[in-house]
Amino acid sequence: MLTGSKTTFKVRQMVPDMKERMMSHSSLHARGRDVLGLCCLPGECVLQRAVLVRKKLSAKEGGGWLSGTLFCTHFRVAFVPQDSQKPDDNADPVMLGDHDVALASIDKVVAVGPSRTKLVTPTCSLKFTPEELVLYCRDMRVLCFLFDRLTPDTQAVEITYTIAKTYQPLKPGTILSFQNAALGSTEMKQFLSNRRRDPNMNWFECSMGWEQELERTGASGWRVSSVNDRFEMSTSLPRFNVVPQRVLDTELKKTFAHFNEGRIPRWCWRHPHGSDLLRMASFQNNIYHEKDDIRNLELVLFGGQQLCVIVDLGEEMASPADIQLAHTRLRTLCLGDISSSVSVPDDKWLSTLESTHWLDYIRCCLRKAAEVACLLRGGHMTVVLQEPEDRDMNCVVCSLVQVMCDPHCRTVAGFQGLVQKEWITAGHKFLSRINYHRESDKEEAPVFLLFLDCVWQLWAQYPARFQLTEDYLLALHDSVHLPLFSSFLANSQRERCRRSQHLPQSYTPVNGLRELPMGSPEMPVDPPFPPVWDWALQYSAQRRARFTQPVSQPACPPPVLNGNLNTNLERSWHNDGLPGSVFLLSRSTFSHPSNLLPWRSGNSGSYWKSHRRAPSSESLSGLERLIRACSLSEPSENPSILHDPYEPLLPLLLGPCVRVWRGCYLRGALHAQAFSHPTSSCSQHPLDQLAWEVQQLREKLAQASHRRPENQTKRQEPRRLESNLNQNANNGTFLFSSSSRSSQQQPPASSRGAAHSSVPPRAQRTASDPSRPAQRNNGKHTFLFGHQEPQSGQHYIPSPSAKLPKRPGNSH
């Protein structure tokens, strides 16, 4: 189609057509069946395809272009490379390949033409044939597909409209239809029902899982209570909670009313030095405390320890609305939008990043978690994290403390157990984004994504101390945006049990509540939702192999300036306080207010009050901050302390140390997807062919210069010729620099990389975009590659490349 043509491709009513295709193909797509080169999932059908398509690869993927076929099914947009191996029909299917994206993860579809871009919607019309298809995803990815000049125009238009028609914005109605389309087929239900969960993973869904955690951490004096087995005490807490052994269930039931939402103090983790980490909600006001209630409350709060420190997170942590706004701004900044005229200039990019406050919130979470980790290192105390109005921030700090202090939580199995324990079963608004299960479109704060970013900051500073890798964190980040996993489809264990229409227990009037045995098959649900930890269902074996890495032995970190983190909290309060004292840690300072515990009288003589405050390191000089930051990393004479694996990983919090997660937020930016040399495929890319011919001509010039006689006049003729030709550069003639002296000194390169290096920068910029090559014989620019004509067997034969804008006056 010529540029400027008034031919319009209007969207058709494709829904009935799609239904007919799905009905006609549903019986044909058996498990592992190879349909037009695509290994379809059970019950998956192909709606549209386009041949001779090139996919832009990111720098991490090797850069360049990859030729293949583009498919659109009722579940995903799949890209199959030309040189990909045929999948094994006996192997288990993978939901998403390395170049695929689920329709539910797509946020925007943009078509790029010769001279304009357009946001494609189901009701819009296109007045041009797309040359590029850009898919903006909700997980910060941007997929760019380039249609070849030999791709039929009907295929380019049809697949663009099919994707725009099939994907829908995430709303309760569209999410349910997507879930039924992806997992609701008979073949998929049968396939998922035959899969079993990982028996080696601790799911924390029964009392046995919590008992294993108590045994692993060496916590004594605690037990697993099932007082909330039917979610009667608290609907947001899990069925099983760890409480002190000295508190009976009959006494424990009376303590739920003294805390908001019934979220009593419950055990989370024990430090090897003897400290316990607890979480609880704020106290209820205007409640009468009987004598027995006070005894039980203090037993639950202290957990057998003599001292208790309550960490207040309400004043320091950001609100959910602030986190949501910061993430939205960060997404807009990092992704950009080629269909929008608003863009951030390069010289304003860093200042715009600072104005999002996303890194400030990460720094705040890391600082508070590091302070709690230093407290736990002191030993023999109970540190209680008091939940603010939004309990998700409490979960972020609690999880970060365990990642900093426990090496087991830095492994893949341990990290999955940590997320399962502190997020999935602990009763939190875990979704961190749109509430798929609610009848509203309200978007929640991406708190879990904030937690993943904090973990990446620790990984970036201490990569050798982690078994999990950045690829694993990226996989978990992307899975959060896919509403197909049972782990993300509820805010509490109670909602998850109601969604699955069964409880993992049975009740009889005689025997009462009885847990189902481990490994028993669960009741089928419609549609079945697999857990997110079934990585073999989501990713290939090659990608799963990049989830882990070897872990080296811990070493003493060098002394560094640690920003405004108070790592040397004053310890005098630890010795001055009497047994039973309760302290408050807020804004890096300690205090002992009289009204900290509602049931304790302010004039009671049995509890010592102190208002001694540890000075914040924000007001200290740089040298004093350096000394305090180094206090925890000073060499010790005892080698066991020097290599203690439970030494906390204290993050560096100075400005340059907290960085942008480039591998996540900038992986889809168009400027990050450099137009580098394409990867090798069955057919050679025109740029490779062009660079190869240029190198061949340069080698011939070098050989011809060696055969010339030793004559001063003749040796200077090529220079005069080159100088004369270079004078035409101002008139629009460009040359590849081919100095005879440089060609004599450098041996001819045979590799492709040497061929690329011979292309000058200007020629690379012109030839880097195959969709806009230089027009020859148009009177504007001429590219001269040498003064000798190539032989007949070396003529350039272009392979299929990007669509070329057809302009009047060009003969093709």
Side-chain angles (χ1 to χ4, degrees):
M1 185 178 67
L2 296 178
T3 305
S5 175
K6 297 183 179 180
T7 304
T8 302
F9 295 91
K10 294 186 177 180
V11 63
R12 300 177 300 174
Q13 297 296 330
M14 301 179 65
V15 176
D17 187 23
M18 291 181 185
K19 292 183 178 179
E20 293 178 0
R21 294 181 187 179
M22 293 173 64
M23 294 298 295
S24 61
H25 290 282
S26 59
S27 61
L28 300 177
H29 296 344
R31 173 190 171 191
R33 183 173 177 85
D34 188 7
V35 180
L36 301 175
L38 175 66
C39 183
C40 294
L41 299 172
E44 186 180 16
C45 60
V46 177
L47 303 179
Q48 189 59 254
R49 72 178 181 123
V51 297
L52 300 177
V53 180
R54 295 185 184 273
K55 180 180 182 293
K56 292 181 183 178
L57 300 180
S58 62
K60 189 175 182 179
E61 295 173 332
W65 306 80
L66 189 63
S67 301
T69 306
L70 185 64
F71 296 88
C72 178
T73 70
H74 67 285
F75 166 67
R76 56 177 171 165
V77 176
F79 180 79
V80 180
Q82 289 182 359
D83 53 356
S84 62
Q85 299 180 357
K86 185 178 181 180
D88 186 8
D89 292 341
N90 297 324
D92 292 337
V94 180
M95 297 180 64
L96 296 175
D98 295 338
H99 305 283
D100 302 349
V101 60
L103 292 175
S105 299
I106 298 177
D107 185 57
K108 190 180 300 183
V109 179
V110 178
V112 182
S115 59
R116 58 175 300 189
T117 60
K118 184 176 182 60
L119 177 64
V120 184
T121 60
T123 59
C124 73
S125 61
L126 281 177
K127 296 183 179 180
F128 58 89
T129 302
E131 295 183 354
E132 283 190 60
L133 178 63
V134 184
L135 303 180
Y136 288 86
C137 304
R138 299 174 57 248
D139 53 9
M140 294 287 193
R141 288 185 297 168
V142 176
L143 304 181
C144 301
F145 300 98
L146 192 67
F147 297 110
D148 197 272
R149 66 185 310 171
L150 299 181
T151 303
D153 292 347
T154 55
Q155 290 188 6
V157 175
E158 288 291 338
I159 197 170
T160 301
Y161 274 125
T162 302
I163 297 174
K165 191 72 177 182
T166 309
Y167 105 94
Q168 295 291 338
L170 291 181
K171 295 181 180 180
T174 59
I175 287 299
L176 182 60
S177 62
F178 171 77
Q179 293 170 346
N180 293 328
L183 306 178
S185 62
T186 304
E187 297 88 346
M188 196 67 179
K189 289 180 181 179
Q190 183 180 2
F191 168 70
L192 293 177
S193 61
N194 296 329
R195 299 188 69 85
R196 292 292 181 264
R197 300 193 305 182
D198 186 5
N200 299 323
M201 177 180 169
N202 194 345
W203 297 85
F204 292 95
E205 294 180 352
C206 62
S207 59
M208 185 180 300
W210 290 97
E211 291 174 355
Q212 292 177 357
E213 183 69 5
L214 289 173
E215 182 180 0
R216 185 188 70 85
T217 58
S220 59
W222 301 87
R223 67 178 181 89
V224 182
S225 174
S226 60
V227 69
N228 195 40
D229 48 10
R230 298 184 66 88
F231 306 104
E232 295 177 351
M233 300 292 101
S234 176
T235 58
S236 60
L237 287 182
R239 296 174 56 235
F240 301 97
N241 297 274
V242 179
V243 296
Q245 289 182 347
R246 299 172 59 184
V247 182
L248 302 178
D249 285 348
T250 56
E251 300 173 345
L252 186 64
K253 290 182 179 180
K254 301 178 182 180
T255 61
F256 283 88
H258 297 272
F259 299 90
N260 291 331
E261 300 184 13
R263 301 179 66 84
I264 61 174
R266 58 209 178 275
W267 178 89
C268 296
W269 182 71
R270 162 162 285 194
H271 195 278
H273 293 179
S275 300
D276 293 303
L277 180 64
L278 278 69
R279 297 167 59 186
M280 72 173 185
S282 57
F283 299 103
Q284 287 279 15
N285 298 324
N286 302 325
I287 293 183
Y288 178 74
H289 304 89
E290 297 182 356
K291 186 175 181 180
D292 294 339
D293 295 341
I294 295 177
R295 173 185 172 275
N296 296 329
L297 287 171
E298 297 208 354
L299 284 176
V300 172
L301 188 62
F302 281 83
Q305 303 285 357
Q306 297 295 326
L307 296 177
C308 177
V309 178
I310 298 179
V311 182
D312 184 16
L313 302 177
E315 297 182 359
E316 299 181 60
M317 311 305 292
S319 64
D322 294 336
I323 297 177
Q324 176 186 350
L325 180 61
H327 188 267
T328 302
R329 292 175 176 175
L330 178 69
R331 172 186 173 84
T332 305
L333 174 65
C334 294
L335 279 184
D337 190 354
I338 60 177
S339 63
S340 176
S341 58
V342 180
S343 61
V344 179
D346 293 340
D347 56 345
K348 301 293 184 181
W349 199 91
L350 293 178
S351 59
T352 307
L353 173 64
E354 184 180 1
S355 63
T356 62
H357 301 292
W358 178 258
L359 297 181
D360 295 336
Y361 300 151
I362 292 176
R363 186 178 292 105
C364 180
C365 294
L366 292 174
R367 180 188 302 113
K368 180 56 63 176
E371 292 177 355
V372 175
C374 294
L375 276 178
L376 293 171
R377 203 182 79 118
H380 304 292
M381 72 178 67
T382 300
V383 180
V384 185
L385 302 179
Q386 187 172 6
E387 298 174 351
E389 184 177 353
D390 180 77
R391 56 179 180 263
D392 287 343
M393 300 307 299
N394 183 294
C395 188
V396 172
V397 176
C398 182
S399 303
L400 285 177
V401 170
Q402 299 181 51
V403 173
M404 291 180 181
C405 299
D406 194 349
H408 176 71
C409 296
R410 298 192 286 269
T411 64
V412 171
F415 188 80
Q416 292 178 171
L418 172 65
V419 175
Q420 190 76 20
K421 175 181 66 172
E422 300 296 345
W423 290 87
I424 298 178
T425 62
H428 287 269
K429 297 178 182 178
F430 174 73
L431 298 179
S432 310
R433 67 244 189 277
I434 293 180
N435 266 332
Y436 299 128
H437 65 292
R438 296 179 183 267
E439 297 299 328
S440 64
D441 299 339
K442 180 181 179 181
E443 185 176 351
E444 294 183 348
V447 181
F448 184 71
L449 303 183
L450 181 72
F451 163 69
L452 291 181
D453 200 331
C454 293
V455 175
W456 179 85
Q457 299 290 339
L458 293 173
W459 178 88
Q461 297 184 18
Y462 301 94
R465 306 289 290 274
F466 283 80
Q467 186 206 26
L468 58 88
T469 61
E470 183 182 15
D471 292 279
Y472 175 82
L473 295 177
L474 283 175
L476 186 56
H477 176 277
D478 298 342
S479 300
V480 172
H481 297 85
L482 192 61
L484 293 178
F485 306 107
S486 59
S487 308
F488 299 154
L489 295 179
N491 282 338
S492 64
Q493 190 177 9
R494 175 176 175 269
E495 292 184 4
R496 194 170 296 105
C497 292
R498 292 181 60 184
R499 169 176 286 273
S500 60
Q501 300 298 323
H502 77 282
L503 295 176
Q505 60 183 2
S506 62
Y507 180 82
T508 59
V510 178
N511 298 327
L513 293 171
R514 177 174 59 88
E515 290 188 32
L516 295 177
M518 292 293 295
S520 61
E522 297 182 351
M523 298 296 294
V525 294
D526 189 20
F529 297 105
V532 70
W533 313 120
D534 191 358
W535 297 115
L537 182 63
Q538 303 182 54
Y539 301 105
S540 61
Q542 292 79 6
R543 184 167 182 180
R544 285 185 280 116
R546 301 196 300 265
F547 285 179
T548 58
Q549 65 180 5
V551 182
S552 61
Q553 294 294 332
C556 180
V560 291
L561 179 63
N562 205 11
N564 54 358
L565 171 61
N566 191 1
T567 59
N568 190 23
L569 299 175
E570 192 171 334
R571 304 299 176 87
S572 58
W573 59 272
H574 187 284
N575 301 324
D576 296 342
L578 300 176
S581 299
V582 181
F583 295 88
L584 176 66
L585 176 61
S586 178
R587 296 186 179 276
S588 303
T589 60
F590 287 99
S591 63
H592 189 75
S594 58
N595 58 349
L596 182 58
L597 301 181
W599 58 84
R600 288 193 177 183
S601 174
N603 54 5
S604 176
S606 60
Y607 302 104
W608 177 79
K609 296 183 297 181
S610 173
H611 294 277
R612 175 176 296 179
R613 303 172 63 90
S616 173
S617 61
E618 297 179 0
S619 59
L620 302 178
S621 62
L623 180 60
E624 188 173 358
R625 290 208 313 251
L626 176 62
I627 295 175
R628 292 200 171 192
C630 301
S631 60
L632 291 181
S633 59
E634 291 178 356
S636 175
E637 298 178 358
N638 191 351
S640 61
I641 299 180
L642 178 63
H643 301 286
D644 185 6
Y646 291 93
E647 281 293 318
L649 302 181
L650 298 180
L652 306 179
L653 301 180
L654 290 177
C657 299
V658 180
R659 300 176 292 173
V660 178
W661 190 359
R662 296 176 56 89
C664 180
Y665 303 139
L666 297 181
R667 55 178 168 170
L670 294 181
H671 60 79
Q673 297 186 1
F675 293 88
S676 56
H677 304 297
T679 58
S680 60
S681 59
C682 297
S683 60
Q684 195 177 22
H685 196 275
L687 292 183
D688 287 333
Q689 180 73 14
L690 181 63
W692 178 81
E693 290 188 3
V694 170
Q695 182 65 21
Q696 293 295 321
L697 293 176
R698 294 191 61 180
E699 293 178 359
K700 289 187 176 183
L701 289 176
Q703 295 175 1
S705 62
H706 286 292
R707 291 194 298 265
R708 290 182 180 275
E710 296 293 332
N711 192 302
Q712 181 71 18
T713 305
K714 293 184 178 181
R715 283 202 309 267
Q716 294 180 357
E717 287 180 1
R719 296 187 181 181
R720 292 198 300 268
L721 176 62
E722 181 180 353
S723 61
N724 294 333
L725 291 177
N726 284 331
Q727 293 177 358
N728 297 327
N730 297 328
N731 299 327
T733 302
F734 300 91
L735 298 176
F736 287 98
S737 58
S738 56
S739 176
S740 58
R741 179 179 304 177
S742 60
S743 61
Q744 292 177 4
Q745 295 177 357
Q746 298 179 356
S750 59
S751 63
R752 183 172 299 177
H756 292 315
S757 62
S758 63
V759 183
R762 176 128 191 192
Q764 286 183 357
R765 289 196 299 268
T766 307
S768 59
D769 191 352
S771 63
R772 295 175 178 83
Q775 303 294 331
R776 298 183 180 179
N777 302 328
N778 56 2
K780 293 183 179 180
H781 301 287
T782 303
F783 291 88
L784 300 180
F785 303 109
H787 59 275
Q788 292 184 354
E789 293 292 332
Q791 299 179 3
S792 59
Q794 297 180 351
H795 285 295
Y796 170 66
I797 303 176
S799 60
S801 59
K803 283 181 175 288
L804 300 178
K806 301 178 181 180
R807 301 180 181 176
N810 294 341
S811 59
H812 293 284

